[in-house]
Amino acid sequence: MGSIEIPISRTKIIIPSLRPEVLRRARLLARFDDLLEKRLIIVTAPAGYGKTSLLVDFSHQSEIPVCWLSLDTLDKDPQRFIAYLIAALAERFSAFGKQSNAVLKSATRFEQDSERLLSSLINEMDDQIDEHFALVVDDYHFVDFIPHIRDLFSRFVSQVGENCHVILASRRLPTLPDIALMVARQQVSGFDLEELAFRPDEIRTLFKKNYGVKLTDDAAEELVRQTEGWITGLLLSATEAARGMPDLSSSAVRASRTRTARATGVDLAAYLDQQVLSQQPPELRQFLLQTSLLEEFDADLCEAVLGAGDWKKLIEKVKRNSLFVLP
């Protein structure tokens, strides 16, 4: 570690702007009033279910201050992760950070100095922040598998004062070691895939707002059936997703989809490949491709169709990583 200065990109620690085309989801925002009584709120769903959009909307309308941290693949380095965590808090609370940054710069080995870092963070938060606030950590799945980060952040969440409410958005269920104890103490809640999935009334509102198209109840229900409420899948789908639904033959819908695909080269298949399949290890990627042929499956059916294999273990991995399956 040493005293290396970590450059901070401010765009990672400020709340993103509200995009005009994003639908305000009142039913989910209303739940935050109850959830903010918890210490940890987990928002877990596969790519493209609107996790970030929901948290951006919440952050802009929240009555309590919100600190924001967007993670990426470079944040797997523990020192960088802690530097950005301190910066996210200091962005909203300007008096915070001097002590914690000094400890971070003086640390020589993360394994050896992590407890000192944690104590400094917790104590300085207690000294400098006396109001209730939310700390949003977006895309937490980028660091969840890094033991040093996972263990320190787990202890951080379990030790912060009652005025700090941590909101984690992740494509997979976080593996925080202290989460079982926190659940037992009723300190954890959140949203999952089924809650984040778009409902017929939300799809009707979205198409009316963005395309000027008034969907019938049957058309909206059919889109929910085809996409299971996966909003990115709905918006990236080619026109065959709307086959038999004249409500979706509007020139605005067709033109929007055509422009996006032509200008970016990104369609539904490309999105799934880039954001989901290509990020999995070979064994899991092969399992997803093979089982995609089945409407439903369990370990016994996999055994019958695919032959011998540790299917139960792979199914558990698919569920834990939120890879587009529902039990």
Side-chain angles (χ1 to χ4, degrees), residues 299-311:
D300 291 338
L301 184 56
C302 289
E303 185 85 21
V305 175
L306 304 174
D310 195 351
W311 306 120

Side-chain angles (χ1 to χ4, degrees), residues 105-138:
K105 289 177 181 178
S106 68
T108 55
R109 290 184 58 204
F110 192 86
E111 303 92 327
Q112 180 178 303
D113 295 310
S114 59
E115 192 62 29
R116 191 161 60 97
L117 277 169
L118 177 64
S119 297
S120 175
L121 273 169
I122 300 296
N123 291 339
E124 190 173 9
M125 289 172 68
D126 188 58
D127 290 339
Q128 300 293 342
I129 308 174
D130 57 6
E131 58 187 310
H132 280 263
F133 71 99
L135 168 62
V136 174
V137 182
D138 195 24

Side-chain angles (χ1 to χ4, degrees), residues 71-177:
L71 298 177
D72 56 45
T73 54
L74 295 179
D75 297 316
K76 293 181 289 187
D77 173 68
Q79 185 179 11
R80 177 184 165 97
F81 173 81
I82 294 297
Y84 266 102
L85 180 60
I86 295 170
L89 294 165
E91 177 67 20
R92 182 59 183 80
F93 301 103
S94 57
F96 177 85
K98 182 180 292 185
Q99 297 171 29
S100 296
N101 271 319
V103 173
L104 179 63
K105 289 177 181 178
S106 68
T108 55
R109 290 184 58 204
F110 192 86
E111 303 92 327
Q112 180 178 303
D113 295 310
S114 59
E115 192 62 29
R116 191 161 60 97
L117 277 169
L118 177 64
S119 297
S120 175
L121 273 169
I122 300 296
N123 291 339
E124 190 173 9
M125 289 172 68
D126 188 58
D127 290 339
Q128 300 293 342
I129 308 174
D130 57 6
E131 58 187 310
H132 280 263
F133 71 99
L135 168 62
V136 174
V137 182
D138 195 24
D139 287 331
Y140 180 75
H141 53 271
F142 282 124
V143 302
D144 184 55
F145 60 96
I146 307 298
H148 293 317
I149 294 178
R150 181 185 62 219
D151 294 348
L152 183 138
F153 194 66
S154 178
R155 298 200 63 207
F156 170 84
V157 173
S158 65
Q159 291 185 27
V160 289
E162 293 182 357
N163 63 321
C164 178
H165 308 276
V166 179
I167 305 175
L168 289 187
S170 177
R171 293 182 186 177
R172 52 171 290 168
L173 282 171
T175 55
L176 302 174

Side-chain angles (χ1 to χ4, degrees), residues 2-3 24 26 29 40 47 85 95 101 108 110 117 125 196 208 210 214 224 259 278 290-291 318-319:
S3 58
R24 190 171 192 273
L29 290 170
L40 175 62
L85 180 60
N101 271 319
T108 55
F110 192 86
L117 277 169
M125 289 172 68
L196 289 169
K208 180 66 176 176
N210 289 352
K214 187 175 181 180
V224 169
R259 279 196 303 270
S278 65
Q290 290 173 325
T291 53
V318 167
K319 287 163 59 179

